Amino acid sequence: MVKVFLSHQSADSLLAARIERRLRELHGIQSYLDVIDPYIGGHGENLAFHIQTEMGKCSQLLAIVSDTTRYSQWVPWEIGVATEKDYPLATFSTGTSLPPEFLRKWPYLRNDADLDAYARRSKSAERSFEEKRRILTEGVARIRSTNEFYTGLRADLGQR
């Protein structure tokens, strides 16, 4: 089952909640969203452990990126953790400019239609992972299905 970790800066909480609701209501995709988690008030190592635990319950990460994201210490860290786990990763960029160059390594979403394409590809990637895991090691299955996710979603979004 697809479950998306929604990484965002607190200033983008309303957008994150809207994305969570769209994924859940229109696509049946569950998300972890820290604005509804009472534990998030913690700090340091305990908070990092909590976030890693919640990420472990998810199968991919969607980072919400805005002008305020540059002030976040957690969004880049969460992207790093997801990258290390070979999770399918994408960004949802607000505003009129492209996301920073280092984030364009992954597909980036700009609107609801892009989010819908992301949801379809997410489900497809999860099915692909389950099929590959039957014949390959979990790590190899994850890498291959994640690469298929990137290739397919970039094509859907017109990105190279």
Side-chain angles (χ1 to χ4, degrees), residues 16-86:
R18 187 180 71 73
I19 289 170
E20 183 277 331
R21 188 172 47 256
R22 185 175 188 89
L23 289 173
R24 180 175 32 86
E25 291 177 358
L26 292 181
H27 301 285
I29 293 176
Q30 296 301 308
S31 302
Y32 171 77
L33 182 60
D34 68 14
V35 296
I36 57 173
D37 192 334
Y39 191 87
I40 289 305
H43 298 284
E45 287 181 33
N46 290 337
L47 181 56
F49 178 76
H50 175 73
I51 291 171
Q52 282 181 305
T53 300
E54 293 303 322
M55 286 182 81
K57 298 174 186 175
C58 296
S59 57
Q60 55 187 278
L61 182 134
L62 178 60
I64 299 165
V65 179
S66 69
D67 291 337
T68 62
T69 305
R70 68 176 163 243
Y71 303 111
S72 173
Q73 65 182 357
W74 292 106
V75 172
W77 183 80
E78 291 162 354
I79 290 171
V81 171
T83 301
E84 202 165 279
K85 292 177 176 277
D86 292 313

